[in-house]
């Protein structure tokens, strides 16, 4: 007998008593959102507050200002090199003079990225209630290691279309087959006396640009 | 881990030693009180917490009831997504599977994401015996590994260590495992975290194989979920060529939608956050992104035995948040090591005796490592009635024999209580000899009076007093 058959057999034997008991439907009486899902301005403010609360640096700008804001933020950190995921909109880095772009064609290694100053990505969506941005490897987001190895991650969120209120409203918009990274603030640890320390292995600085029309 | 949990003293002896360790008690008190207050605030933010909790309970119960079906569905989905599924009936088989997969890659090193399941099966020791070094990459697990120590908490395994002790461990031990600690390292948590970042980065960049657990597995989509804070999980799940995840069979949930419940319950209950910094989700392998080889090892190791127990099976709902540890008055004083298992605290006291059985002294003593105050049940995000299971397991321990003197005493009491004349005589005798009664019991009863005074016997039995005054 294989272990598969053994385990499945043990499960069926263990559940022998449950066959005759009628099953209740799953109670899903919880809320689909705790924030007003139909108020885009309030949601954006909430996302802003919650991202800030977990030590992300949050900025706002309009679509037209985006290239110059990206250039300013990279310059403010003194970034000389920036990893560029496939599908990042062409215009985003046009104003970043003096920053060497490293477009990812699948060949950027972790060792190479370890020496890169910043990465600029878009996102799949953002969750206001929890202060979370979600990357799913779609256009402008790149392979997972791009937003992981460099020490500075600059992420662009388009409002209102990419902002959802809650986790229950986020999941139906995401594809379970795609590799996803949910990011809520920069990496952190509470392992020493349960004191929260920001910045361990992931990017120690997370900047989020909230872009409105 | 340098030593194993087997052969541990029973809980009362281990706890008595821990309670005398003032440093340990101070560290534990500080840490558990900090987190429990934060957790209460994070939970209070959600007006529908009670509804989320009952949904979490119901989803887990439903899954357990159809566990065979959901595991087969999960296997199909993971396989279709490019992964390979292995089934391990016990720890020995799981370790053998993982060691074989590591050998097949030709490497002798693996990086590890914090995982309760791999601690439970003693994977690091098993790999070491096969010539493979496993590097723990969670900060607390690193502290435990470098300190040749054992974990004492589910969420923060080095909770028993304060910052000064951690500084000493890093300064003394990092060099023999890889990059040494920076010169002049202080005990500021930020500096200690930085030292860990530098020490581990070289390991992440060269690792070819990673071993992880998972918080959830979605049957319908084959998606695995790892919830973490530091980014070491992302490093392990993303950079190596081969990923091996060892996951208990009870971690499956039926649908993608079900994550909406658990991704709200777990972070708030565990680290008291609206959401933990990083959550990774993946199904099988993705071309050009992350590991090109993915193995899922489904682990039984006693879980089906727990499933067979109609009262005890609810412990399999556990999502390892550790809220029950942080509110437990016994855990706060005795610490995690006293439980003699990788699962300490109230959940450990109900889970470990079910996974390992109650034959050894430590496992038989665990159901008694509780005052039954019920705080653990209150905070449990999936409503495991831990006191109910504890009492149930005490019955089981008692049925397997209990204590011979206890059995004799209960048999004698049964006879006396069945015979009113004998009872009246015994009561009078006890009243008249009370000046001679010791404050502590002799012989095997002594332990019971170590922490209690023997009740005083009244001068005359109540029934005699009643007859004299009221008839």
């Amino acid at each position: 007998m294989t272990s598969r058959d053994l385990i499945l057999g043990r499960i069926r034997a263990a559940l022998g008593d449950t066959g005759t008991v009628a099953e209740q439907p799953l109670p899903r009486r919880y809320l689909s959102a705790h924030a007003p899902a139909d108020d885009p301005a309030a949601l954006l403010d909430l996302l802003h507050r919650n991202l800030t609360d977990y030590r992300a640096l949050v900025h706002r700008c309009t679509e037209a200002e985006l290239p110059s804001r990206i250039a300013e933020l990279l310059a403010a950190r003194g970034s000389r090199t920036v990893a560029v995921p496939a599908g990042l909109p062409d215009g985003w880095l046009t104003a970043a003079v003096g920053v060497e772009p490293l477009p990812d064609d699948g060949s950027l290694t972790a060792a190479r990225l370890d020496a890169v100053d910043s990465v600029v990505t878009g996102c799949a969506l953002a969750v206001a209630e929890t202060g979370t941005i979600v990357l799913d490897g779609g256009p402008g987001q790149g392979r997972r290691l791009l937003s992981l190895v460099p020490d500075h991650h600059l992420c662009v969120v388009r409002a209102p279309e990419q902002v959802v209120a809650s986790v229950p409203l986020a999941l139906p918009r995401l594809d379970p087959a795609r590799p996803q990274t949910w990011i809520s603030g920069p990496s952190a640890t509470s392992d020493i006396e349960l004191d929260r320390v920001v910045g361990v292995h992931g990017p120690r600085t997370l900047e989020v640009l909230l872009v409105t029309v | 881990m340098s030593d194993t949990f087997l052969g541990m003293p029973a809980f009362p002896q281990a706890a008595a030693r821990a309670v005398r360790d003032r440093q340990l008690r101070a560290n534990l008190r500080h840490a558990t009180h900090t987190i429990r207050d934060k957790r209460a605030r994070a939970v209070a933010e959600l007006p529908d917490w009670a509804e989320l909790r009952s949904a979490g309970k119901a989803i887990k119960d439903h899954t357990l009831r159809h566990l065979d079906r959901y595991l087969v569905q999960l296997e199909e989905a993971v396989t279709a997504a490019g992964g390979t599924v292995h089934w391990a009936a016990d720890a020995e088989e799981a370790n053998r599977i993982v060691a074989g997969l590591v050998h097949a890659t030709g490497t002798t090193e693996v990086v590890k994401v914090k995982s309760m399941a791999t601690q439970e099966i003693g994977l690091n020791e098993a790999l070491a015996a096969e010539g493979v070094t496993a590097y723990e990459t969670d900060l607390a697990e690193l502290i435990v590994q470098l300190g040749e120590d054992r974990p004492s908490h589910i969420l923060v395994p080095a909770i028993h260590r304060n910052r000064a002790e951690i500084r000493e461990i890093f300064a003394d031990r990092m060099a023999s495992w890889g990059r040494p600690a920076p010169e002049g390292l202080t005990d500021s948590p930020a500096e200690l975290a930085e030292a860990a970042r530098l020490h581990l980065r070289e390991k992440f960049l060269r690792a070819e194989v990673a071993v992880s657990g998972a918080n959830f597995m979605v049957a319908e989509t084959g998606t695995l979920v790892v919830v973490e804070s530091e980014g070491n999980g992302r490093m392990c799940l993303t950079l190596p060529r081969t990923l091996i995840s060892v996951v208990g069979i009870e971690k499956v949930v039926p649908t993608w939608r079900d994550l909406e419940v658990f991704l709200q319950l777990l972070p708030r209950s565990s680290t008291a956050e609206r959401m933990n910094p990083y959550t990774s989700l993946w199904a099988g392998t993705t071309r050009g992104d992350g590991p090109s080889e993915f193995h899922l090892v489904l682990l039984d190791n006693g879980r089906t035995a727990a499933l067979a127990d109609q009262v005890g099976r609810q412990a399999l709902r556990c999502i390892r948040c550790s809220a029950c540890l942080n509110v437990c008055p016994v855990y706060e004083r005795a610490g995690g090591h006293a439980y003699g298992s990788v699962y300490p605290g109230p959940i450990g006291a109900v889970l470990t005796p079910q996974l390992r059985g109650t034959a050894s002294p430590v496992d038989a003593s665990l159901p008694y490592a509780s005052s039954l105050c019920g705080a653990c049940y209150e905070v449990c995000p999936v409503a495991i009635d831990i006191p109910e299971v504890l009492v149930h397991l005490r019955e089981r321990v008692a049925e397997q024999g209990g204590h011979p003197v206890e059995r004799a005493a209960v048999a004698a009491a049964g006879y006396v209580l069945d015979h009113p004349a004998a009872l009246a005589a015994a009561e009078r005798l006890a009243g008249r000899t009370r000046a001679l009664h010791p404050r502590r019991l002799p012989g095997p009863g002594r332990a019971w009076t170590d922490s209690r005074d023997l009740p005083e016997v009244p001068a005359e039995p109540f029934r005699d007093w009643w007859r004299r005054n009221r008839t």
Side-chain angles (χ1 to χ4, degrees):
Chain A
M1 193 187 334
T2 64
S3 292
R4 182 182 187 277
D5 295 339
L6 176 67
I7 294 170
L8 290 173
R10 284 176 182 170
I11 292 170
R12 285 162 193 149
L15 293 171
D17 63 296
T18 62
T20 54
V21 187
E23 198 166 353
Q24 304 296 316
L26 288 181
R28 293 192 191 265
R29 291 185 296 269
Y30 50 87
L31 303 171
S32 63
H34 303 87
D38 50 359
D39 184 345
L43 279 190
L44 191 60
D45 288 344
L46 181 62
L47 175 65
H48 191 148
R49 266 203 313 282
N50 284 338
L51 281 165
T52 307
D53 194 27
Y54 285 159
R55 319 274 183 93
L57 306 174
V58 186
H59 315 275
R60 295 199 191 196
C61 69
T62 63
E63 187 74 42
E65 294 165 340
L66 185 57
S68 61
R69 286 311 304 273
I70 290 177
E72 279 169 34
L73 293 171
L74 291 175
R77 272 189 63 90
S79 292
R80 308 276 292 273
T81 47
V82 58
V84 182
L88 196 80
D90 285 337
W92 285 11
L93 290 172
T94 48
V97 184
V99 180
E100 183 196 348
L102 289 162
D104 178 42
D105 57 2
S107 65
L108 283 180
T109 61
R112 178 70 188 93
L113 287 165
D114 197 30
V116 167
D117 296 322
S118 298
V119 59
V120 177
T121 73
C123 68
L125 54 79
V127 185
E129 269 182 22
T130 57
T132 304
I133 53 177
V134 178
L135 273 61
D136 72 354
Q141 300 168 51
R143 299 182 295 145
R144 283 172 285 174
L145 82 172
L146 261 71
S147 54
L148 173 62
V149 181
D151 205 14
H152 174 225
H153 178 195
L154 177 53
C155 181
V156 176
V157 180
R158 291 173 188 275
E161 63 267 32
Q162 289 187 320
V163 181
V164 300
S166 65
V167 171
L169 295 177
L171 285 165
R173 289 180 46 166
L174 294 165
D175 180 354
R178 301 182 74 96
Q180 294 170 26
T181 308
W182 295 34
I183 301 172
S184 309
S187 74
T189 182
S190 299
D191 280 347
I192 302 168
E193 299 181 11
L194 287 173
D195 260 4
R196 200 167 200 269
V197 176
V198 171
V200 196
H201 300 297
R204 282 180 289 187
T205 308
L206 172 67
E207 287 196 271
V208 180
L209 253 174
L210 304 175
V211 183
T212 48
V213 186
Chain B
M1 281 193 291
S2 62
D3 62 330
T4 93
F5 282 108
L6 295 177
M8 288 282 296
F11 184 85
Q13 288 84 53
R17 197 175 313 139
V19 165
R20 285 194 294 271
D21 183 339
R22 295 181 60 185
Q23 180 69 64
L24 176 69
R25 286 191 64 179
N27 293 356
L28 281 173
R29 186 181 157 75
H30 169 73
T32 54
H33 282 252
T34 306
I35 191 75
R36 76 168 76 156
D37 297 342
K38 281 189 197 158
R39 179 192 176 278
R41 285 197 295 275
V43 166
E45 271 188 14
L46 298 189
D48 58 340
W49 184 259
E51 287 77 18
L52 283 166
R53 185 176 185 243
S54 49
K57 171 182 189 281
I59 291 168
K60 284 284 186 178
D61 279 347
H62 167 82
T63 312
L64 291 172
R65 184 177 171 148
H66 305 283
L67 190 58
D68 52 339
R69 191 212 314 159
Y70 287 124
L71 288 173
V72 169
Q73 189 185 11
L74 174 76
E75 178 184 43
E76 285 166 9
V78 169
T79 307
T84 307
V85 177
H86 310 259
W87 300 70
D90 55 27
E92 197 263 320
E93 185 175 17
N95 288 333
R96 201 172 57 233
I97 292 168
V98 176
L101 291 170
V102 176
H103 283 319
T105 68
T107 187
T108 55
E109 290 181 350
V110 303
V111 286
K112 277 190 70 202
V113 192
K114 176 173 160 18
S115 141
M116 299 306 299
T118 59
Q119 281 178 23
E120 174 192 322
I121 62 177
L123 178 65
N124 292 8
E125 295 78 2
L127 288 177
E130 295 273 328
V132 175
T133 308
Y135 294 107
E136 292 290 350
T137 65
D138 170 76
L139 178 53
E141 294 289 359
L142 177 70
I143 295 165
V144 167
Q145 187 172 47
L146 294 177
E148 297 184 358
D149 202 351
R150 282 179 292 107
S152 69
H153 190 282
I154 290 174
L155 175 69
V156 267
I159 196 170
H160 56 289
R161 298 288 198 183
N162 64 23
R163 59 187 70 190
E165 296 172 291
I166 294 166
R167 194 211 73 86
E168 204 164 305
I169 291 168
F170 279 13
D172 289 351
R173 303 286 305 152
M174 268 187 174
S176 54
W177 283 81
R179 180 173 173 151
E183 286 290 319
L185 181 68
T186 75
D187 66 2
S188 103
E191 268 192 49
L192 295 169
E194 167 73 7
R197 176 187 173 93
L198 295 170
H199 179 79
L200 288 172
R201 183 144 292 223
E202 58 165 19
K203 295 193 170 26
F204 290 135
L205 293 181
R206 69 161 189 250
E208 289 177 25
V209 178
V211 176
S212 83
N215 296 93
F216 308 103
M217 309 184 282
V218 181
E220 70 170 350
T221 62
T223 312
L224 269 72
V225 183
V226 166
V227 168
E228 54 135 353
S229 298
E230 296 172 10
N232 64 307
R234 291 178 69 191
M235 292 279 179
C236 293
L237 300 170
T238 308
L239 300 185
R241 271 207 297 274
T242 301
L243 171 62
I244 305 165
S245 299
V246 181
V247 190
I249 52 175
E250 82 283 17
K251 296 284 173 191
V252 67
V253 296
T255 67
W256 178 246
R257 185 187 176 187
D258 294 329
L259 294 177
E260 73 187 17
V261 175
F262 297 107
L263 290 180
Q264 294 193 78
L265 288 174
L266 180 55
R268 288 182 196 260
S269 207
S270 179
T271 49
E273 293 167 306
R274 292 183 197 101
M275 188 62 83
N276 50 289
Y278 296 138
T279 300
S280 294
L281 303 93
W282 76 96
T285 55
T286 303
R287 203 184 173 82
D289 185 355
S292 52
E293 211 179 301
F294 172 59
H295 296 273
L296 171 60
V297 182
L298 294 172
L299 178 70
D300 179 349
N301 203 36
R303 283 158 178 77
T304 47
L307 188 65
D309 187 313
Q310 294 179 36
V311 177
R313 65 169 60 128
Q314 59 183 308
L316 296 175
R317 295 203 294 260
C318 176
I319 56 173
R320 311 284 190 264
C321 74
S322 73
C324 61
L325 278 60
N326 299 328
V327 298
C328 177
V330 177
Y331 177 86
E332 183 189 327
R333 287 161 183 84
H337 290 156
Y339 293 81
S341 152
V342 296
Y343 302 109
I347 187 63
V350 297
L351 204 50
T352 306
Q354 296 200 81
L355 296 179
R356 297 201 299 217
T358 48
S360 78
V362 62
D363 292 332
S365 71
L366 285 175
Y368 298 88
S370 168
S371 64
L372 301 179
C373 78
C376 48
Y377 174 47
E378 295 273 308
V379 297
C380 178
V382 287
I384 300 169
D385 191 340
I386 293 175
E388 181 191 23
V389 183
L390 285 167
V391 171
H392 170 73
L393 291 173
R394 288 179 187 186
E395 282 168 22
R396 191 199 286 184
V397 171
E399 274 167 16
Q400 76 190 15
H403 197 288
V405 175
E406 179 190 333
R407 272 204 311 275
V410 170
Y415 173 83
V416 173
L417 291 170
D418 266 354
H419 297 80
L423 179 62
E427 284 170 349
R428 283 187 202 116
L429 181 65
R432 282 168 203 153
T433 57
R434 68 189 192 129
L436 306 172
H437 293 177
R439 298 300 300 268
R440 298 184 57 188
L441 287 172
R446 180 188 294 274
W448 193 81
T449 49
D450 272 350
S451 53
R452 300 171 182 84
D453 286 331
L454 207 55
E456 278 190 49
V457 177
E460 69 178 327
F462 173 76
R463 284 187 291 187
D464 289 359
W465 177 89
W466 180 265
R467 210 169 291 125
R468 198 153 47 75
N469 290 288
R470 293 285 189 276
T471 55

